[in-house]
Amino acid sequence: MNPLAILRKDCERPIVNIDDFSLLDERDHLHYLDSAATTQKPRAVLQAMQSYYEQHNANPHRGAYELSAQSTEAYERSRKRIARFLGVADVDTLIFTRGTTESLNVLATAWGRANVKAGDRIVVTRMEHHANFVPWQQLALAVGAEFVIAELAPGGVLDLDHLAQCCTPNTKVVAFGQVSNALGTINPVSEIVRIARTTGALVVCDGAQGVPHFDAAVDALGVDAYVFSGHKMLGPMGIGGLVVRREILEAMPPYQFGGDMIALVGDERSTWNVLPHKFEAGTPNVAGAVGLAAAAQYLDGIGMSRVRAHEAALLAYTTARLTEVPGVTVLGPPPERRSGVVSFVLDEVHPHDIAQVLDSAGVCVRSGHHCAQPLMRALKVSATTRASFYVYNDADDVDALIVALLTTRDRMGLA
Amino acid sequence: MSAELEELYQSIILDHNRRPQNFRVMEDASGHADGLNPLCGDQVTVWIKLDGDRVADVSFQGQGCAISKASASLMTQAVKGKTLAETQAIFDRFHAMVTGQGAEGITGGMKALSGVSKFPLRVKCASLGWHAMKAALDNAAP
C-alpha cells in the first residue's frame, strides 16, 4: 500500500455508529467539519433529555414530593457523572453554567471584582477566544488593572519565555486556553501552570476545546479554575461548567442572586447556600445536565484515547491530502501539536467564498475570525477557513473537502 | 456545482474581485464612512466627493470576500457622476434585487449581483459597501 492509502485506512471509518446521529444518518451527502463550533448529538443524549421531561420533570431542590426528589436526584447524579468524566474528585466544586462564556464571566465578575485592584496585572495569551479575552480586558478597564497579552512564538505556539516575562509578582490572573479554537494548538498546560505559579495569580484554564478531544484529567492539571461547554462534547446547547478549587469558591461572592442560592434571607441581609448551590441561582437546567451526563457516558464508552487517536489519524490524512491543493497554507504548529483542527488560507481566495463553494458540495466548515481577532491580527490574516473533526468523521469527509477545495480554485478562477 | 453557485460567482464578479475599480484612498473627499461585518471581519471604507448635487467621485478600500469587494467596486461605477436622487434610486434598486424583490431597472455590470438573492447569508456581504456609501453621503460636507 502507498503511504497515502495507509493514512486513509487509519481513518477509513468513524469510531461511532453513524445510526446514533440522526442528523448525519439522514443526510448522506453532508460532510460536517465544524465540530469545534458545535458537535452533533447522539440519540442517547436526546433520549435522556426526553425521558427526563417525560418521567421526572419537577423543580429540583424545592418540592417535598417524590417527583421533585426524582428531579433533584437526576440533576445531582448528572453532576457526579460529569465530574467523574472530567476527573474532578470534589463533585460540589463543579458549578453548572450555560457554558464556557458564562463560566468565564462568573470568574471575571465575581472573583475578579473582589480580588483584582488598580495596579494589579491580568495576563492572557494571544490565542484566546474572545470569551477568555474580553471579560478579563473589561475587568482590567473597570478596576484600573494592567491587561497584558503573552505573545506567540513562530509557528502558532505560545512563547513561554514571554509568558514568564509577563508574569510579574503583581499578577492576579493568568488565563489561557487548553487548546486554541482557531488553530487547534494544544498548549503545554503543566509548563504554563509552573510559570503562572511563580506569582500568586488565579490560574484559569479554558477547556472548551480540550474536554471534547482528550482525557481532561482536570484535578491533575493543577489549575485553580477550569471551564468548558457541553455542546462541544456531544451534549446539548446551554449547559456547561465551571470547576474551581473549593477554598476559592467558598471565599468568592455569588455571581447572581435569587432562589436556590440562599440560606437565610433577612429584611436587610442574606446568607448563602453551600456549594454548589451558592453559584446556581434560579431553576437549573436539569435536562441539560442529564443530557450532558449522557454525553459523558457516550464518550467514556468510546474511550477518550480512541477519540484522540481518531482525530490524529484524520489530521494526518488531511495534512497529506492538502498538498494536492495548490496555494493552501495551514496555520499553526505541526499536526502532532494540534487537536483535530485544520485552519488554512488558500491563495487570495477569501475564506467566506471558500466556505460558500464548499457548502454547495455539502462540506460544512467555519470561515472567519473564529472569535479570535487578536490572534488574526498577529497572524496578519483577516480570516481563515477551519475544518474540525470529531468521532463521526472519516476519510470520506476529508476526500470531499479536498475535491471541494479543488473546485473552489476552479470556480474562483485560479489556474 | 450548482447553477446557483455559477450565478453567484459570475466572471464579472471574479474580475471585479481581482481588479476592483476605484480601489483607492481619496484625499480630498467630502465625506467617508466605514462598514464592518463583525460576523466575518469584513471591513470597507468608502470615500465620496460631491460637486453640488452630484457624486463627482467615489472610491473604496478594505478587505472582504469576493462578493463584498465586487459589489463595492460595481457600486462605485454605478453611482459615479449621478445626482443624489439618482444615487438613492440606484441604491433602492440594488437593495430590491439582492433581497429577491426583482431586478427591475438594473443595468450594466450590476446585473451580475442578481445571484446574491439566492444566498440570503450573502446579502450582508453584497450590501456592505453600499451602506458605507450611504453613510459617507450622510457625513459629506458639500
Side-chain angles (χ1 to χ4, degrees):
Chain A
M1 252 194 303
N2 69 43
L4 195 61
I6 294 168
L7 289 175
R8 191 180 195 287
K9 194 149 185 54
D10 286 344
C11 55
E12 201 172 20
R13 306 289 315 139
I15 54 169
V16 293
N17 189 346
I18 283 294
D19 299 352
D20 290 348
F21 294 82
S22 307
L23 187 147
L24 299 173
D25 196 29
E26 284 162 18
R27 287 177 171 80
D28 260 358
H29 301 292
L30 188 77
H31 302 282
Y32 187 75
L33 297 178
D34 198 19
S35 291
T38 197
T39 58
Q40 298 302 333
K41 320 303 175 196
R43 198 164 287 140
V45 167
L46 306 177
Q47 281 172 349
M49 296 172 73
Q50 176 97 5
S51 73
Y52 164 74
Y53 275 127
E54 285 179 354
Q55 294 164 34
H56 308 294
N57 178 58
N59 208 322
H61 304 139
R62 286 179 173 79
Y65 49 91
E66 169 60 21
L67 196 61
S68 173
Q70 284 178 17
S71 179
T72 306
E73 160 68 11
Y75 188 54
E76 296 306 331
R77 195 174 55 234
S78 300
R79 193 189 311 271
K80 287 196 190 90
R81 183 67 188 85
I82 297 158
R84 178 148 66 87
F85 177 78
L86 294 170
V88 171
D90 191 349
V91 175
D92 292 340
T93 62
L94 166 57
I95 311 297
F96 284 125
T97 65
R98 284 192 296 132
T100 303
T101 298
E102 188 174 60
S103 297
L104 289 163
N105 277 281
V106 171
L107 287 172
T109 305
W111 189 89
R113 292 298 177 103
N115 291 281
V116 181
K117 305 279 183 289
D120 288 343
R121 177 178 272 218
I122 297 171
V123 177
V124 300
T125 87
R126 179 57 71 184
M127 67 177 97
E128 295 317 307
H129 186 285
H130 293 162
N132 199 25
F133 192 95
V134 184
W136 302 116
Q137 179 192 56
Q138 295 304 307
L139 169 65
L141 287 172
V143 303
E146 219 185 335
F147 181 70
V148 178
I149 303 168
E151 299 291 346
L152 302 186
V157 296
L158 186 61
D159 183 341
L160 291 174
D161 291 335
H162 188 244
L163 175 69
Q165 286 166 31
C166 293
C167 289
T168 49
N170 61 333
T171 302
K172 286 291 163 64
V173 178
V174 176
F176 66 95
Q178 193 170 23
V179 174
S180 155
N181 72 303
L183 301 178
T185 309
I186 299 173
N187 276 319
V189 175
S190 58
E191 282 296 289
I192 294 171
V193 170
R194 189 183 55 75
I195 293 166
R197 288 298 179 214
T198 59
T199 72
L202 182 82
V203 180
V204 180
C205 181
D206 171 359
Q209 302 288 344
V211 174
H213 306 290
F214 44 77
D215 182 9
V218 172
D219 282 349
L221 294 176
V223 298
D224 296 315
Y226 188 88
V227 300
F228 68 101
S229 294
H231 71 98
K232 293 188 198 291
M233 51 169 283
L234 306 177
M237 291 179 175
I239 186 100
L242 166 66
V243 180
V244 186
R245 284 201 295 121
R246 176 176 282 274
E247 58 272 31
I248 297 171
L249 275 183
E250 279 174 347
M252 186 166 125
Y255 173 64
Q256 290 182 330
F257 303 94
D260 237 22
M261 57 75 64
I262 50 85
L264 285 168
V265 176
D267 285 351
E268 279 156 22
R269 296 182 179 282
S270 298
T271 56
W272 316 133
N273 201 342
V274 295
L275 299 177
H277 313 295
K278 175 181 164 187
F279 293 99
E280 293 183 356
T283 298
N285 182 1
V286 181
V290 167
L292 182 52
Q297 177 80 20
Y298 189 91
L299 284 170
D300 270 341
I302 302 168
M304 292 311 289
S305 56
R306 277 184 73 209
V307 173
R308 173 83 184 113
H310 184 62
E311 287 182 26
L314 284 162
L315 207 52
Y317 180 56
T318 308
T319 306
R321 287 221 60 190
L322 273 174
T323 59
E324 295 167 32
V325 187
V328 166
T329 307
V330 177
L331 303 171
E336 55 277 12
R337 294 192 63 180
R338 299 206 311 268
S339 72
V341 169
V342 187
S343 200
F344 62 92
V345 292
L346 170 58
D347 276 345
E348 299 297 298
V349 185
H350 193 280
H352 210 153
D353 297 314
I354 297 173
Q356 185 78 66
V357 182
L358 263 52
D359 182 47
S360 72
V363 178
C364 309
V365 295
R366 175 77 187 272
S367 64
H369 52 57
H370 315 294
C371 299
Q373 288 178 3
L375 174 64
M376 296 291 118
R377 276 197 297 280
L379 297 172
K380 297 191 169 56
V381 294
S382 64
T384 80
T385 305
R386 179 189 71 187
S388 54
F389 304 112
Y390 211 34
V391 292
Y392 33 65
N393 292 122
D394 62 18
D396 280 346
D397 297 321
V398 179
D399 294 340
L401 171 69
I402 301 300
V403 170
L405 284 173
L406 291 167
T407 307
T408 305
R409 283 189 63 85
D410 192 38
R411 178 64 271 167
M412 299 309 293
L414 300 176
Chain B
M1 200 176 348
S2 70
E4 275 106 3
L5 201 67
E6 297 275 357
E7 215 181 308
L8 182 65
Y9 292 114
Q10 295 178 31
S11 56
I12 295 179
I13 300 290
L14 299 182
D15 285 346
H16 275 268
N17 176 41
R18 247 191 311 269
R19 287 179 294 275
Q21 303 299 299
N22 303 302
F23 192 72
R24 56 186 154 82
V25 178
M26 194 190 297
E27 299 293 352
D28 56 346
S30 324
H32 72 276
D34 297 328
L36 184 70
N37 184 349
L39 227 60
C40 54
D42 284 3
Q43 175 269 322
V44 69
T45 305
V46 173
W47 291 267
I48 263 194
K49 184 155 71 179
L50 291 178
D51 179 9
D53 184 38
R54 207 164 276 278
V55 176
D57 197 8
V58 52
S59 70
F60 81 106
Q61 276 212 320
Q63 49 195 350
C65 63
I67 304 302
S68 81
K69 216 166 172 183
S71 185
S73 175
L74 287 160
M75 176 276 293
T76 63
Q77 288 188 331
V79 306
K80 200 189 261 193
K82 299 291 192 295
T83 65
L84 293 179
E86 286 165 344
T87 300
Q88 180 63 48
I90 293 166
F91 178 92
D92 292 341
R93 284 200 292 272
F94 160 80
H95 191 259
M97 173 176 69
V98 295
T99 53
Q101 299 163 62
E104 206 175 318
I106 297 284
T107 53
M110 269 175 64
K111 277 184 199 151
L113 289 165
S114 62
V116 172
S117 66
K118 300 273 170 48
F119 296 88
L121 291 172
R122 303 308 290 276
V123 172
K124 264 198 172 145
C125 308
S127 309
L128 192 65
W130 289 79
H131 285 291
M133 179 271 290
K134 287 265 286 173
L137 274 180
D138 292 341
N139 294 340

